[in-house]
Amino acid sequence: MYIKIVKNIKRYHNIFHYRKECVATESLIKNTYLTKEYYDKNKKKKIDLFDFVPPENFVSSYFEKLDKCYSNPRSILRLYKDYIEKEDYPNYNWLIRCFCQLANIFGFNSFWSVKDKEAIHELKLFKYLVYDLIEKKEKIKARHCPRLLYAMCCLDYRCYFLLPTILEITEMNIEKYRFPTLCMISFCLSYLGLTNQSVQFGCENYLSRNYNLIIKILNNLYERREEGKIDSTNFCWSLLSFVMVINNMYEYPSKENSFLPEILKNACNSLTKENIPESGWVQYFLYMTLYCCDVEKPSNELQIKESIPYYIQEYLHLKWLDNILITAQNQGSEKMQLEMENIINKLQLKDFFINLSVGRKIDEQHCFFTSHFYKPLNLCIEYDYFHPIGQNRPLVSGIISLKNRIFKKLNFNVVNIHKCYWDPLNDDQKEAQLIKIIETFQQKQDPKTKMESKELYEEKYFDSNILHLKHKRVKFHTWPPENITI
């Protein structure tokens, strides 16, 4: 018998251990639930992977499921995820319906805050949904355009990859849309910042053609105004009046024959003291039109104010703060606004106010809120959280552009902070931006010039045929009150 001696046996100290481990693993696998013997032994049923039978009409079934998810954004996005996992080529009509139904949850009558809308923008499923819409944008039809524009407004989401296609189709079909539809399209475009100006989408090296659809839509509405008297409601006319204000078109089409007074008369048609509380957004649009006209003072100011009956003006003034303005304002705060508030607290800056109402000294009640107000410098800070119209090409929304115009008329300084420039900054850089803003306006506001400057809207210098909101809040027995100059 020969015995072979292994040299350097210390190097092989685990040789038997490895072999034993393999045997143990093999015996362990035989007793696991992964084997057929386990199922036979415990009499358990196997899961049939092909037990799910697709419905006869697959797309229709998902339309029905979508109808049931009308109030929960999470359910809609989960349904979208389930749909794209089972369908390689999603139905484009279903995708548009899904996007619009998600947007309706965040509509103008909802209580979702701007911060909630911004949170939706960051979700992967939302980005996938928008990408699916962009990928097949050639399938967009004329009937889709108004709904997509309204959905973008509800979500405060401006997708510059989709907008050129939507604007092209809308421009080709202006004559085919009904009067109320064109009123809503004009509002959506104005709200998204596509006001009466030429706009190009895309990067600087690859720009689209110029778009200015507002003026074309208004021309069409002006020509079809008699048709609109039959086909439109008070809401449509009041919405159109607010569109004219946002675009600073009080004197359209001419000073001698302006369209806005006629719009306001149609908006007030059939409104009585009994039914005006039930008119909803009509009250907000009418009062904002009156106030902006009173501040900006177009040449047809008197005609605009006289086109709204006095009993309606009385009701709007008395109910503005308690019943109209509160429900019309966005609820909660914005993400950039809260970040700026944290910076202000960190720097221990005083006399900074968040969501403050601003106006003239003669105003008994205000109509506009500024996101942040710095009292020592009369500085209003607004936050443009809309997506740019190209890479690093911001464009403020229509509401912010209106605020900028009104605030400057009221002798306030205005600063707009754009999301596309703000988000890439770190905390130190954001603090430096705020300090730079304050230093810039401190240099502009020299003490000598401050003493010499006169306020534009002091009561003693105020000159107008009609002093809107001049009276005090009292119980009126007759209208107009005696202390309003007519």
Side-chain angles (χ1 to χ4, degrees):
M1 181 177 180
Y2 297 96
I3 299 175
K4 187 176 181 180
I5 299 174
V6 180
K7 295 182 180 180
N8 299 328
I9 197 167
K10 290 183 179 180
R11 295 170 54 190
Y12 303 96
H13 63 281
N14 290 328
I15 187 170
F16 300 107
H17 176 70
Y18 287 143
R19 185 176 180 181
K20 184 178 180 181
E21 185 179 3
C22 294
V23 173
T25 306
E26 184 179 356
S27 62
L28 182 65
I29 291 176
K30 289 183 178 180
N31 296 325
T32 60
Y33 61 89
L34 299 175
T35 59
K36 182 179 178 182
E37 290 81 0
Y38 179 84
Y39 286 103
D40 294 340
K41 183 178 179 180
N42 295 278
K43 296 181 180 180
K44 291 188 179 286
K45 294 182 179 180
K46 291 185 179 181
I47 299 174
D48 189 358
L49 299 178
F50 302 97
D51 191 27
F52 171 73
V53 179
E56 185 176 352
N57 195 330
F58 185 76
V59 178
S60 298
S61 67
Y62 271 88
F63 271 106
E64 293 174 1
K65 291 179 181 179
L66 192 58
D67 291 337
K68 298 176 182 178
C69 306
Y70 57 86
S71 61
N72 190 346
R74 180 181 295 178
S75 300
I76 293 177
L77 290 175
R78 283 180 176 175
L79 183 63
Y80 163 73
K81 180 183 178 182
D82 182 61
Y83 179 61
I84 60 175
E85 286 177 350
K86 295 177 181 177
E87 178 62 69
D88 293 333
Y89 302 97
N91 183 279
Y92 200 76
N93 291 326
W94 191 91
L95 294 176
I96 291 178
R97 175 80 170 275
C98 181
F99 182 75
C100 294
Q101 194 153 322
L102 177 66
N104 288 338
I105 298 174
F106 298 90
F108 295 99
N109 292 322
S110 71
F111 283 91
W112 294 91
S113 67
V114 177
K115 187 179 178 182
D116 297 323
K117 299 178 184 180
E118 292 176 324
I120 287 288
H121 301 168
E122 302 300 325
L123 295 179
K124 285 186 178 180
L125 285 176
F126 179 79
K127 294 179 180 179
Y128 293 161
L129 175 58
V130 174
Y131 178 79
D132 285 341
L133 292 173
I134 296 171
E135 190 179 25
K136 300 291 183 181
K137 61 183 179 181
E138 66 275 2
K139 294 185 178 181
I140 296 177
K141 299 178 182 178
R143 58 189 172 89
H144 296 147
C145 295
R147 288 185 284 174
L148 286 173
L149 288 172
Y150 181 74
M152 289 184 191
C153 291
C154 292
L155 290 167
D156 288 348
Y157 184 81
R158 183 173 56 202
C159 180
Y160 75 88
F161 294 101
L162 284 174
L163 279 172
T165 304
I166 294 174
L167 295 180
E168 289 280 357
I169 298 173
T170 304
E171 187 175 6
M172 291 187 294
N173 294 274
I174 287 180
E175 297 291 339
K176 299 179 182 178
Y177 289 121
R178 292 173 55 234
F179 193 93
T181 306
L182 286 178
C183 291
M184 180 56 69
I185 291 176
S186 64
F187 171 76
C188 293
L189 293 176
S190 302
Y191 187 86
L192 293 172
L194 308 179
T195 52
N196 187 22
Q197 58 181 334
S198 296
V199 178
Q200 291 180 292
F201 298 94
C203 303
E204 293 183 357
N205 299 328
Y206 189 71
L207 294 174
S208 67
R209 73 172 182 87
N210 287 323
Y211 292 96
N212 186 1
L213 210 57
I214 284 291
I215 191 65
K216 295 181 180 179
I217 292 176
L218 290 178
N219 289 337
N220 186 274
L221 290 173
Y222 184 72
E223 294 172 358
R224 297 164 57 185
R225 58 188 183 277
E226 295 300 326
E227 173 192 336
K229 293 178 181 179
I230 303 172
D231 194 24
S232 300
T233 61
N234 301 94
F235 173 80
C236 299
W237 289 107
S238 62
L239 184 66
L240 185 58
S241 70
F242 193 53
V243 170
M244 305 290 279
V245 171
I246 293 176
N247 290 275
N248 196 14
M249 300 177 71
Y250 298 97
E251 300 171 356
Y252 170 86
S254 63
K255 294 181 180 180
E256 296 77 17
N257 187 24
S258 56
F259 189 25
L260 185 54
E262 184 179 354
I263 293 173
L264 292 172
K265 287 179 182 178
N266 294 329
C268 298
N269 189 25
S270 73
L271 286 181
T272 62
K273 294 181 180 180
E274 290 74 23
N275 64 11
I276 190 173
E278 302 173 359
S279 58
W281 281 93
V282 173
Q283 307 167 62
Y284 177 80
F285 295 140
L286 290 178
Y287 199 79
M288 290 295 286
T289 302
L290 275 175
Y291 182 80
C292 293
C293 174
D294 194 63
V295 171
E296 298 196 277
K297 302 203 171 305
S299 60
N300 57 345
E301 175 191 3
L302 185 61
Q303 299 174 11
I304 292 173
K305 292 178 179 178
E306 288 179 343
S307 59
I308 299 179
Y310 287 121
Y311 70 89
I312 294 180
Q313 295 189 33
E314 176 190 15
Y315 174 84
L316 295 176
H317 179 71
L318 295 177
K319 300 294 183 180
W320 175 248
L321 289 180
D322 300 332
N323 298 78
I324 304 174
L325 181 62
I326 292 178
T327 55
Q329 291 299 313
N330 287 326
Q331 305 299 315
S333 301
E334 308 159 15
K335 184 180 177 182
M336 288 194 295
Q337 186 185 29
L338 294 177
E339 289 179 357
M340 181 64 80
E341 183 69 13
N342 292 333
I343 294 173
I344 292 170
N345 294 332
K346 184 178 179 181
L347 297 176
Q348 297 182 355
L349 296 174
K350 297 181 179 180
D351 296 323
F352 249 111
F353 302 94
I354 187 171
N355 288 334
L356 182 72
S357 64
V358 293
R360 303 170 294 188
K361 286 187 176 181
I362 64 170
D363 291 340
E364 182 192 337
Q365 48 195 11
H366 295 157
C367 295
F368 288 95
F369 287 83
T370 180
S371 299
H372 267 112
F373 183 74
Y374 188 45
K375 189 175 181 180
L377 299 178
N378 273 351
L379 177 62
C380 299
I381 301 178
E382 294 297 325
Y383 303 97
D384 173 33
Y385 49 88
F386 274 57
H387 285 247
I389 56 174
Q391 188 175 5
N392 293 330
R393 297 183 60 232
L395 178 67
V396 295
S397 67
I399 302 301
I400 292 182
S401 66
L402 175 61
K403 282 185 177 182
N404 290 350
R405 224 172 59 228
I406 297 296
F407 291 166
K408 290 176 182 178
K409 285 282 186 179
L410 302 179
N411 284 342
F412 291 120
N413 298 312
V414 183
V415 170
N416 297 322
I417 298 180
H418 303 286
K419 179 181 175 65
C420 59
Y421 295 143
W422 179 262
D423 285 350
L425 303 178
N426 57 36
D427 293 341
D428 294 336
Q429 291 172 331
K430 290 176 181 178
E431 290 179 13
Q433 287 295 318
L434 177 59
I435 295 172
K436 185 177 180 181
I437 290 171
I438 295 175
E439 289 177 348
T440 301
F441 284 96
Q442 280 177 341
Q443 294 172 0
K444 289 184 178 181
Q445 194 166 7
D446 187 57
K448 294 181 180 179
T449 58
K450 185 178 179 181
M451 294 295 294
E452 294 174 359
S453 63
K454 297 180 180 179
E455 290 194 19
L456 182 60
Y457 287 101
E458 283 188 357
E459 188 170 353
K460 57 184 178 180
Y461 298 112
F462 195 81
D463 184 19
S464 175
N465 293 326
I466 294 182
L467 297 186
H468 182 56
L469 304 181
K470 179 84 178 288
H471 54 282
K472 296 181 179 179
R473 184 186 288 270
V474 294
K475 186 175 181 180
F476 300 109
H477 299 284
T478 59
W479 189 263
E482 296 178 357
N483 56 343
I484 289 188
T485 306
I486 298 180

